[in-house]
Amino acid sequence: MDRQILHFDIDAFFASVEQLDHPEYQNKPLIVGGDSDRGVVATCSYEARKFGVRSAMSAVVAKKLCPNGIFVSGNMKRYQEVSRQIFEFIKSKFDHVEIVSIDEAYIDITECNQSAIEIAMDLKRSVNQMTGLTVSVGLSYNKFLAKLASDWNKPDGIFVIKREDIPSILLPLPIIRIHGLGKKTCEKLNNIGIFTIEDLYQYPQSFLNEFLGELYATEIYHRIHGIDHRTVEEHHDRKSYGKETTLQEDTTDREIIKGILDQYLIRIREALEKRSLMAKTITIKIKYQDFEQFTRSYSLEYYTNNLKIWREALNSTFELLELDKPVRLVGLTLSNFEDQDYKQFNLLESI
Ligand code: TTP
Ligand code: MG
């Protein structure tokens, strides 16, 4: 039987919280992020999106596109508080919840008695009554498609992707919409005439290897064919081992950064081995000279503590990073653990 996965994503999260807290911003083009020359847009209200303003855009460009935009610097503590309130509520209602970011979660609702649509409508209504925020919900039989669905008719959307919808929905989709494909990779593929998933279908999986490395290539190849076996991990990121340091000097040298990450990987893996832990997820953290920061994660489909596999995952993830400014801090984390001894114990029991 197919699983039923719900993906939940708050609309214009930081900007919507600001509009709720400051009614004078309602229905206005609101941009959250510093407005200095070096400022970056964290997010913006849908009123500002009409002008083409987007997350991660420089404030200078945002101002040009939307001269009447109101800039606010944002209040992370407040967003975290709202996020916590919503996810505590969701966790009290559902057994299988994986929180993936400050405003986004997957819920496995396969075992729920109500219909998926009813569950989604109830959830949207409850969150709206509780906080005043609107959310978009996607429903499908795997995580990749559920996430695609929640994005489909934002804001305040609800969308279902069924198996029979795969050709009509996936084939015409621009490749930039494939979660996990970076802008640079898409540009390279565009340059050789690949614009949509249908274009990509003409090539074998091995073709993607040279762009993405084998690990990612396999995953992306599966995704575009509607296959994604990743489960909803309730304890996602609850435990992690990581290391990060501010560099002695800011650098743009990728080899230096890669070398540091590799050293971290060796040490983290050793720490895990001592505790008989295997992990599934690797996360790279980068902070630029101007303090803008981001993380990029990759999850394997199985738990491991094999250094060779982790190196491959690290390298593939690193290759996709677009480092366009001097870096001041790098970090690496392994998370999503399973106890190796426990697993061996289980195996013995089942023999
Ligand atoms: P998103 O869910 O990607 O964006 P959003 O909620 O603002 O808008 P959407 O309606 O499209 O879901 O990210 C959640 C929050 O994370 C967002 O409100 C601000 C923050 N964020 C950044 O700070 N920088 C970024 O580049 C992105 C994408 C998000
Ligand atoms: Mg959102």
Side-chain angles (χ1 to χ4, degrees):
M1 197 188 78
D2 271 344
R3 292 178 296 157
Q4 299 239 49
I5 309 292
L6 183 155
H7 182 258
F8 167 101
D9 191 316
I10 303 170
D11 300 320
F13 182 40
F14 295 1
S16 306
V17 172
E18 294 298 334
Q19 287 181 319
L20 283 172
D21 290 352
H22 307 276
E24 67 273 23
Y25 297 152
Q26 264 166 30
N27 308 315
K28 301 258 167 66
L30 184 73
I31 298 166
V32 181
D35 67 347
S36 73
D37 284 356
R38 308 196 51 157
V40 176
V41 176
T43 190
C44 60
S45 66
Y46 276 78
E47 291 82 2
R49 293 187 198 195
K50 283 187 206 144
F51 296 87
V53 182
R54 295 286 179 270
S55 289
M57 185 177 264
S58 83
V60 175
V61 175
K63 265 189 220 165
K64 259 192 209 135
L65 291 169
C66 183
N68 294 326
I70 305 166
F71 278 82
V72 293
S73 55
N75 178 353
M76 202 58 196
K77 239 173 114 183
R78 174 84 183 114
Y79 311 144
Q80 276 163 348
E81 178 185 288
V82 178
S83 168
R84 208 170 301 126
Q85 184 195 8
I86 292 174
F87 290 136
E88 284 308 317
F89 167 76
I90 293 183
K91 283 197 284 187
S92 74
K93 291 267 169 206
F94 298 93
D95 291 331
H96 308 291
V97 181
E98 176 180 337
I99 298 164
V100 279
S101 78
I102 193 162
D103 81 329
E104 198 189 341
Y106 291 100
I107 312 175
D108 188 327
I109 54 169
T110 315
E111 287 161 12
C112 296
N113 292 327
Q114 260 178 310
S115 80
I117 289 281
E118 269 170 16
I119 292 172
M121 304 272 273
D122 279 355
L123 188 56
K124 280 164 65 71
R125 200 178 312 117
S126 306
V127 172
N128 187 256
Q129 279 168 358
M130 195 166 67
T131 62
L133 294 168
T134 64
V135 299
S136 294
V137 170
L139 295 161
S140 195
Y141 59 89
N142 69 37
K143 284 168 110 177
F144 170 61
L145 295 170
K147 184 170 167 75
L148 193 65
S150 75
D151 224 20
W152 209 259
N153 51 0
K154 263 183 167 290
D156 206 8
I158 182 163
F159 194 70
V160 186
I161 299 181
K162 300 203 185 86
R163 274 190 190 276
E164 56 268 31
D165 303 327
I166 294 296
S168 65
I169 285 185
L170 282 189
L171 291 182
L173 207 65
I175 52 174
I176 191 72
R177 295 284 299 276
I178 305 172
H179 184 58
L181 270 197
K183 219 167 70 187
K184 286 238 167 92
T185 310
C186 287
E187 275 166 17
K188 281 188 209 156
L189 293 169
N190 287 165
N191 285 341
I192 51 171
I194 300 170
F195 295 94
T196 63
I197 289 187
E198 185 168 17
D199 297 336
L200 209 47
Y201 266 37
Q202 318 301 321
Y203 296 86
Q205 184 186 323
S206 54
F207 163 81
L208 275 177
N209 289 357
E210 70 178 274
F211 292 92
L212 297 167
E214 206 176 324
L215 269 176
Y216 261 126
T218 311
E219 188 154 331
I220 297 294
Y221 186 79
H222 279 155
R223 284 187 191 174
I224 63 174
H225 288 86
I227 300 164
D228 178 4
H229 296 302
R230 286 173 305 157
T231 51
V232 171
E233 305 274 350
E234 287 127 64
H235 304 300
H236 187 75
D237 250 359
R238 182 175 287 178
K239 283 205 290 177
S240 63
Y241 271 91
K243 259 201 81 54
E244 66 175 50
T245 345
T246 303
L247 308 177
Q248 285 184 341
E249 252 176 71
D250 298 347
T251 183
T252 49
D253 188 332
R254 295 184 71 93
E255 285 311 308
I256 292 181
I257 297 171
K258 202 167 156 185
I260 295 170
L261 289 170
D262 194 61
Q263 288 304 310
Y264 288 175
L265 179 66
I266 292 168
R267 278 150 72 177
I268 296 167
R269 203 203 65 84
E270 273 171 13
L272 293 188
E273 192 164 65
K274 275 194 199 135
R275 293 162 182 80
S276 297
L277 289 171
M278 298 195 291
K280 222 174 170 180
T281 303
I282 191 165
T283 303
I284 299 176
K285 174 175 169 184
I286 299 285
K287 191 187 269 182
Y288 289 124
Q289 198 169 48
D290 62 6
F291 282 79
E292 190 201 344
Q293 65 175 50
F294 67 93
T295 57
R296 174 115 201 181
S297 295
Y298 177 76
S299 287
L300 299 167
E301 288 194 353
Y302 46 87
Y303 297 94
T304 186
N305 59 6
N306 180 310
L307 182 61
K308 197 166 155 259
I309 294 174
W310 278 125
R311 261 211 179 112
E312 205 182 321
L314 171 63
N315 291 340
S316 312
T317 312
F318 185 75
E319 286 316 314
L320 295 175
L321 296 184
E322 291 156 19
L323 302 176
D324 43 17
K325 286 184 279 190
V327 170
R328 67 174 265 123
L329 174 146
V330 290
L332 188 77
T333 306
L334 291 192
S335 59
N336 228 335
F337 298 140
E338 184 175 72
D339 189 316
Q340 203 176 358
D341 290 340
Y342 174 71
K343 194 166 182 205
Q344 279 164 0
F345 178 69
N346 266 357
L347 267 175
L348 281 175
E349 275 201 326
S350 61
I351 288 171

